[in-house]
Amino acid sequence: FGDTTAAKANCISFGGRVRAASMGGQTTPSGSSWTNDIEMVFFSSTGNSTDYATLTTAKKEGGGFSNEIRAFYVGAGYNTIEYVTISQGGNFIDFGDMSNGSEQCAAMSSSTRGVFSMNSFVPQYSTSNTIEFITMMTTGNSTDFGDMSSVRFTCGSGSNPTRGIIAGGYVAPANQNVIQYITIATLGDAVDFGNLAASTQYAAGFSNGHGGL
């Protein structure tokens, strides 16, 4: 398809019907340097990514989601929620706060709600099974949605307009193969969906309206 503008790790992504974007990330192997750059591609063509927008600060390992109008970045060790209008790009804007600083957020969305797990609290550096949500076309702080069935971190996620999926992750001393789901329109705890073919963490999840990978 093409190349990104630079080699990066631990980026967070969002996508709509027209374009996809990669947000922030780690720019050195040691993890000592991060970026606030966001670059994007159009699905309808091939080619290298181009500069699109800028996060409020340099970040990695947060969570990202979107509807057709707004894209969001949450966490990355902070308790911040920020957004941009997708058709405009430019600088991200403060939306509100999470209840606690968190990183490695498994993020999902419908056209109305953005939902994310808070798997690794910062600065406590303790694991959590908390799930919170926002209503994307407003502004304000996130609200409790429910809980994952177990404490895990570095989970993968994906969603369609109805369900969000949280998969894999790590609980010492091993990777996990658990898949859980939530119904985005209904508050409540995550429910067992099935198992991955192999236990894994840091999974990259994506989906269309019918299936997820």
Side-chain angles (χ1 to χ4, degrees), residues 102-104 106 117-121 127-128 148 152-153 155:
S102 182
E103 60 185 7
Q104 300 162 355
S117 67
M118 298 170 62
N119 298 135
S120 182
F121 279 171
T127 52
S128 166
M148 295 166 55
R152 289 173 287 145
F153 61 99
C155 302

Side-chain angles (χ1 to χ4, degrees), residues 18 20 32 36 43 51 63 84 105 111 113 130-131 138 150 156 160 167 185 201:
V18 177
S32 60
N36 63 351
F43 290 124
D51 184 64
V84 72
C105 303
S111 60
R113 282 181 172 173
T130 302
I131 305 172
T138 64
S150 61
N160 66 13
Q201 61 172 318

Side-chain angles (χ1 to χ4, degrees), residues 76-125:
Y78 306 94
N79 72 335
T80 54
I81 305 168
E82 54 189 283
Y83 77 97
V84 72
T85 301
I86 295 173
S87 63
Q88 298 173 359
N91 295 330
F92 270 60
I93 301 168
D94 180 65
F95 181 94
D97 294 327
M98 306 155 68
S99 64
N100 198 98
S102 182
E103 60 185 7
Q104 300 162 355
C105 303
M108 303 147 281
S109 61
S110 65
S111 60
T112 305
R113 282 181 172 173
V115 185
F116 48 90
S117 67
M118 298 170 62
N119 298 135
S120 182
F121 279 171
V122 178
Q124 299 96 320
Y125 287 100

Side-chain angles (χ1 to χ4, degrees), residues 4-13 22-39 55 57-62 73 76 103-104 154 202:
T4 57
T5 58
K8 292 181 283 187
N10 297 318
C11 304
I12 300 300
S13 62
S22 171
M23 303 186 286
Q26 174 183 318
T27 56
T28 57
S30 66
S32 60
S33 180
W34 309 348
T35 181
N36 63 351
D37 289 340
I38 301 173
E39 47 194 277
L55 296 168
T57 59
K59 295 180 177 181
K60 69 177 180 74
E61 293 190 88
Y73 194 110
E103 60 185 7
Q104 300 162 355
T154 60
Y202 286 112

